[in-house]
Amino acid sequence: MMFAGAALLALAATSRAEAQQMATPAAMEEDAFDGEAIVVTGSIATAQAASVELKRKADNLIDIVAADSVGRFADQNSAAALSRLPAVAVQRDQGQERYIQVRGAPNRWTSVSIDGVPMIGVDEGGTTRAYRFDAVPAVLLSAMAVNKSLTSNLQAEAIVANIDLRTYSPLAKTGFDLQGDVGYGFMELGDKDQRQASLRASWSDGTFGVVVGGSHYRRKQTTDNREVGAYDAKGPTEFDIRSYQLERENNGLFGAIEYEPVEGQRFFIRSIYTEFKDDEQRNQYEFDLDSSSAIGTRGFASGDLVGVPVVSTFNYGEYRTRNYINTIGGEYESEDGLKASVNLNYTRTENTTYLPLTQLRTSGNASPSIHYDASDPRFPIISLYSTVGTGASRTRGASLTAIDQTTVSSSGIVIPGMQDTFSDSYTVKADFSKALGAATLSGGFLYADRDISGFTFATSNIVSLASGASVGQPFNIGKYVTSKPWDTNFPLGFSFNQIDNVAMRRDVDSLLAALQAAGLYDPAKNVPAANRYRLNEKTLAGYVMGKVEFEGGQVVAGVRVEHFRLDNVGTAVTAAGTVPLSAQQSYTDFFPSINARFDLTPDLVFRIAGQRGIARPSFGEIRVGSSINDTNSPGTISGGNPDLKPEYTWGVDASLEYYLSGGGLASVSAFHRWVDNVLYQNQQAVGSDLYDSNGVDRSGYLLTSTFNGTSGRLYGVEFNYQQQFSFLPSPLDGFGVQGNIALLGGHFDTSTAKKLPFQGLSDTVLNGSFYYEKYGLSARVSYQWRSDWLDTLGGLGSGEYRKGYDNLDVSVRYAVNDNLTLFADATNLTDAIYMAYEDDESKPTEVEQVGRRYMFGIRFAL
């Protein structure tokens, strides 16, 4: 299938027309447009019409983002851009879009491909296979497709959706073309700046084409944060007050060469580099309310305590995600309807974290006395007092306006926290099709060989700061306290000053180096053997598929066969020493699918689809590495679970789509997924001899890990409406609307519990935009909202939830001429407060705010 998008997502907002033909992942071999490309111009309405036409002619149930449409939003990464589509929700990290959740499902149920080549998610520590979209700048792409029903030429590892990210073709436009943008703005909280820039240059004579480009986005951000570690019968056990100072970057480079010596024969080389960088300073003070040394009363609404220890944690951490994506291949199409394509891909993904935590704790009368008012549990107000007296007779002293940040003990610790995950993937993908009148037969194969190595987050190598004196580097917290107060919009009751974490990190690194030279610190112990893993995945897949067209519709049916092999190597750590472990899995699965489209009238389309899919456990979950305690009764094991089975699903989809004049659409769709072997976290008996060694039977030990539940159901209904009001008289015909709402539900069972909620499932997801475009002016107001969802499943039936939130964005563009456009973006105008809670909102565990963002700049095209 051929489809079109404009050149770059954030560059396409100029008023120049730009056409591009690309192959959709759902039916790459088919010409859904009878050889005619869709031309996407600089208008919202034309881009919207292109996306609607692509959806109308698609073989499967699909939503497509035309690049020009995305360029009208203030989206810096692909997660933000995708969140505009029906039933697509976004997970944020400190306000920045990171993961995609389609139809409220766990993010591991959505797979990702780039130009049709499957990618795997390599997240922090390998604890999830979710793909990190914040590492892929939106401007590198030309279009994005969300396949909600599968055809057999798509990877089966997609329970609710496959997202295909499409790159720019240099043969899309003849001659020389240069486009770019420059923007600068500020973050309201902390009054810090943000900036962006991108440039793309291409040249083509219609036979040979080359394109190079790059993008950069940086934001300096303050994050205001309050947390409560846990609650007991008396109330909160701690108040955790944090301020983060972030500098985040998204960088991308890409290039492609394409050669089409004759029509129907194309050869290409594509290379993409993407990078996400996060340099993060943390200032954290934890009031240890339930400490045995604290005297007084503690309740949910208020408390009076004497001598509350304050644990301070500081760090200057580095988070990095890098993708190196390289593809060579070719496409062939003959006049008699034979099509073929081959892709050879090598992708390396790196995800690393280095988080050296410096932690200190007050003691004695240096621990303040407090009164807290938690009548609004999100924002506890703390009144500070000195502590006087000795022992059990200590009492509250004089009122204080601030903590003396220099009085915390300098006999603290340094914890070199870190995690790494690396993946090297080699993929060969070939597809073939032959048109035979009203029928088209397709087939193909894929071979993927992936090596994954790394370790889950480790904080076990604790170094005493007091040991610095022995190497002539004593630690003094006072030298790092600055005169700059925290930036906060949350009420607190007293003030803090910022810590110079950069200087502290420099001195801590120097201290660790000196201790290592003196034999007092061994960095080899930073990561326990139980945390490490090494896996190799091999997938061999093939498919056959047929498409039959008839008057008023078509049917596409096929079957995909995948053979999967996993080699799993790690280490178990026991009191008697380390034990090497290995495990293997090998299985073959069949994945049938069928997609039928019926054109009930020229404007009314009905679709129905059925499929089988799979989702495999993450590397950290299935690793054999573990830590074993033989002294407990029964013994305990924590680590991975190599006996995990993949999740399987049968699913059905149906939609009714009414295509309106002027490129509009009104549709309703429904889906249902029946899932077996649902993954969840728990503690239960091992039940196998995997961890046995030296004659010790550990089959009855309790393993804290990830396990397979029994069955689950996910279902929902989606409503979508978009139209420009071209039927109105001028100038009102420039108005238009895009809106969608998804109503979702679902649950799963285990052997001991029933109807547990899925992680990430909001029962309502809403997106809406109202726009006006005419006379060179393009203005859009966009609103997003999702309801509460389960974030972490704790003890069965309980867990940590995320409160729903809304976001309001405004984007304005004005085309000065064909070559220059001015833009202004205002983001998060609702100043959203992101909140997590334990069981209900009266027990908030995290409250966070990042503030509004503003960006101004120019876009140009030559």
Side-chain angles (χ1 to χ4, degrees), residues 57-101:
K57 296 296 181 69
D59 289 342
N60 60 333
L61 186 60
I62 190 172
D63 289 311
I64 298 171
V65 184
D68 190 68
S69 179
V70 175
R72 303 286 169 165
F73 292 99
D75 298 330
Q76 275 79 35
N77 67 49
S78 49
L82 285 163
S83 68
R84 312 290 178 180
L85 291 174
V88 177
V90 66
Q91 286 180 277
R92 288 175 166 84
D93 176 68
Q94 300 200 45
Q96 188 167 9
E97 299 85 353
R98 174 165 291 181
Y99 301 114
I100 287 299
Q101 291 176 280

Side-chain angles (χ1 to χ4, degrees), residues 503-740:
M504 183 185 294
R505 162 71 184 275
R506 182 177 60 245
D507 291 347
V508 165
D509 286 347
S510 176
L511 172 60
L512 292 177
L515 292 172
Q516 182 180 356
L520 301 175
Y521 164 63
D522 182 3
K525 297 180 179 179
N526 286 347
V527 182
N531 290 55
R532 296 186 180 275
Y533 53 83
R534 176 165 294 177
L535 303 97
N536 176 261
E537 295 182 346
K538 289 183 173 68
T539 303
L540 179 61
Y543 73 91
V544 291
M545 184 172 68
K547 174 180 176 178
V548 178
E549 298 177 272
F550 49 86
E551 184 68 26
Q554 65 177 40
V555 175
V556 180
V559 62
R560 186 178 185 90
V561 183
E562 291 192 355
H563 176 73
F564 179 81
R565 177 187 172 93
L566 173 67
D567 293 314
N568 191 350
V569 177
T571 303
V573 178
T574 72
T578 60
V579 179
L581 295 176
S582 64
Q584 290 184 347
Q585 289 189 6
S586 180
Y587 48 87
T588 301
D589 290 308
F590 291 82
F591 300 99
S593 65
I594 184 169
N595 285 265
R597 188 188 78 217
F598 302 96
D599 301 323
L600 304 181
T601 73
D603 296 319
L604 186 63
V605 174
F606 173 71
R607 298 179 190 272
I608 188 166
Q611 65 187 41
R612 187 174 190 245
I614 188 174
R616 296 187 173 93
S618 72
F619 322 121
E621 290 173 323
I622 204 168
R623 75 185 194 278
V624 294
S626 57
S627 179
I628 301 174
N629 189 325
D630 291 311
T631 62
N632 292 341
S633 182
T636 57
I637 305 175
S638 60
N641 181 1
D643 292 328
L644 284 176
K645 301 174 184 177
E647 299 167 295
Y648 291 99
T649 182
W650 288 97
V652 294
D653 296 84
S655 70
L656 190 64
E657 304 159 3
Y658 184 65
Y659 292 88
L660 307 169
S661 61
L665 170 68
S667 67
V668 57
S669 61
F671 71 95
H672 200 298
R673 297 290 185 269
W674 291 266
V675 189
D676 291 324
N677 305 331
V678 178
L679 298 172
Y680 71 104
Q681 290 74 45
N682 196 20
Q683 183 183 67
Q684 63 188 54
V686 172
S688 74
D689 61 359
L690 176 68
Y691 299 100
D692 294 356
S693 65
N694 301 322
V696 179
D697 179 6
R698 299 190 175 99
S699 60
Y701 281 24
L702 294 179
L703 172 64
T704 301
S705 188
T706 301
F707 297 90
N708 289 114
T710 53
S711 61
R713 300 169 55 208
L714 181 71
Y715 46 86
V717 180
E718 305 166 22
F719 301 90
N720 183 29
Y721 171 68
Q722 55 189 63
Q723 186 176 26
Q724 185 175 22
F725 303 142
S726 55
F727 52 85
L728 296 177
S730 181
L732 300 179
D733 56 350
F735 284 107
V737 65
Q738 295 175 315
N740 54 79

Side-chain angles (χ1 to χ4, degrees), residues 138-202:
V139 296
L140 299 188
L141 307 173
S142 65
M144 292 175 283
V146 180
N147 295 280
K148 292 181 177 177
S149 69
L150 300 182
T151 49
S152 296
N153 59 330
L154 290 169
Q155 57 181 314
E157 197 169 351
I159 286 183
V160 292
N162 166 265
I163 296 177
D164 192 57
L165 308 177
R166 309 298 300 185
T167 59
Y168 177 73
S169 168
L171 291 179
K173 191 171 188 178
T174 57
F176 177 75
D177 184 62
L178 180 71
Q179 299 197 36
D181 73 76
V182 178
Y184 186 81
F186 63 93
M187 314 284 292
E188 186 178 60
L189 181 61
D191 195 26
K192 298 182 182 295
D193 68 338
Q194 60 171 338
R195 69 190 186 199
Q196 71 178 47
S198 66
L199 188 70
R200 188 208 71 205
S202 66

Side-chain angles (χ1 to χ4, degrees), residues 785-803:
W785 178 76
R786 66 180 299 187
S787 60
D788 298 14
W789 72 95
L790 176 68
D791 191 44
T792 303
L793 184 63
L796 295 182
S798 66
E800 184 179 60
Y801 291 79
R802 291 280 171 177
K803 182 173 174 55

Side-chain angles (χ1 to χ4, degrees), residues 255-285:
I257 298 173
E258 294 190 7
Y259 177 54
E260 190 172 16
V262 297
E263 185 176 357
Q265 297 181 23
R266 180 179 298 201
F267 305 93
F268 57 83
I269 301 175
R270 305 186 187 113
S271 187
I272 302 172
Y273 168 76
T274 71
E275 175 187 56
F276 171 77
K277 298 171 60 177
D278 182 4
D279 293 333
E280 179 178 293
Q281 298 186 53
R282 179 200 304 193
N283 288 266
Q284 173 184 347
Y285 292 91

